[in-house]
Amino acid sequence: GDAELIFSNYASVTNAWDIAVRQDVGGSNNDLKFLRFNSSGVYQGVAMQMLVGGGLTFNGDTAAANALDDYEEGTFTPVLTGGTPGYSYQSGNYTKIGNIVTIRVVLVLNAWSGSGTVEVTGLPYAALTDSYNHDWGVVACQNKANTSVWVSGATGSALFFRRQDIANSDTGMVHTDIDANTAVLTTVVYRVS
């Protein structure tokens, strides 16, 4: 098919993406390919390809299933449930690459009256809810009411916490496990559908 040269950098060809070519202009395969040349100007192959339907593939891969089709980063407001919190600091950050989300939560309490199971809601994306397929992260609970070791996992629209220093490690965090001086800090990587 036809091809359209988008830009060229022959004057200073380096080991980089030096030429971009749009294939089959006006046809069904309108992908944009970034071609790699060595320092002598010899063609080395496709470095990156932008697919018509969206997404990037690398090193000549043409499979749409392997394309990087989503990237996003931002902030969110995490909320501690299982009681009534007062915050002196409340922060959530996330990065989403494809179907993987990394979140960082920092909650520092200055007031707490509890009533139930403690979780964090307000996640930027809902996690898969597949049984035994939770993605885990480490939790630091500073100045916590009870000395214990916790991990956090994501399922649905919430982070949950599990105690790891007792025989039954499936014990969830409850309102008496934290108090008004507790700081909850966690990073969790999880999958979305």
Side-chain angles (χ1 to χ4, degrees), residues 44-129:
Q44 300 294 300
V46 176
M48 183 175 73
Q49 181 171 341
M50 298 175 70
L51 303 179
V52 173
L56 301 174
T57 60
F58 301 92
N59 299 320
D61 189 355
T62 59
N66 297 337
L68 174 60
D69 58 2
D70 188 22
Y71 179 87
E72 182 181 337
E73 56 186 64
T75 61
F76 67 100
T77 303
V79 176
L80 203 62
T81 65
T84 304
Y87 304 103
S88 58
Y89 192 81
Q90 183 181 20
S91 172
N93 302 83
Y94 73 93
T95 301
K96 182 177 186 289
I97 302 173
N99 67 349
I100 301 296
V101 179
T102 301
I103 62 169
R104 169 83 171 134
V105 172
V106 179
L107 298 170
V108 181
L109 301 179
N110 58 22
W112 177 253
S113 60
S115 62
T117 301
V118 175
E119 293 184 336
V120 173
T121 60
L123 304 185
Y125 290 93
L128 290 177
T129 56

Side-chain angles (χ1 to χ4, degrees), residues 3 8 12 16-17 28 40-41 100 113 121 140 158 164 167:
S8 174
S12 59
W17 306 330
S28 60
S40 300
I100 301 296
S113 60
T121 60
Q164 297 297 296

Side-chain angles (χ1 to χ4, degrees), residues 2 8 12 15-16 20 23 33 45-46 50 60 71 87 97 109 114 119 123 132 146 149 163 169 177 186 190 192-193:
D2 297 335
S8 174
S12 59
N15 292 310
Q23 287 187 308
K33 291 185 177 181
V46 176
M50 298 175 70
Y71 179 87
Y87 304 103
I97 302 173
L109 301 179
E119 293 184 336
L123 304 185
Y132 298 105
N146 298 321
V149 177
R163 191 170 174 181
S169 61
D177 290 318
T186 186
Y190 65 91
V192 299
S193 56

Side-chain angles (χ1 to χ4, degrees), residues 2 4 22-30:
D2 297 335
E4 175 186 7
R22 188 180 306 279
Q23 287 187 308
D24 193 16
V25 177
S28 60
N29 182 16
N30 211 4

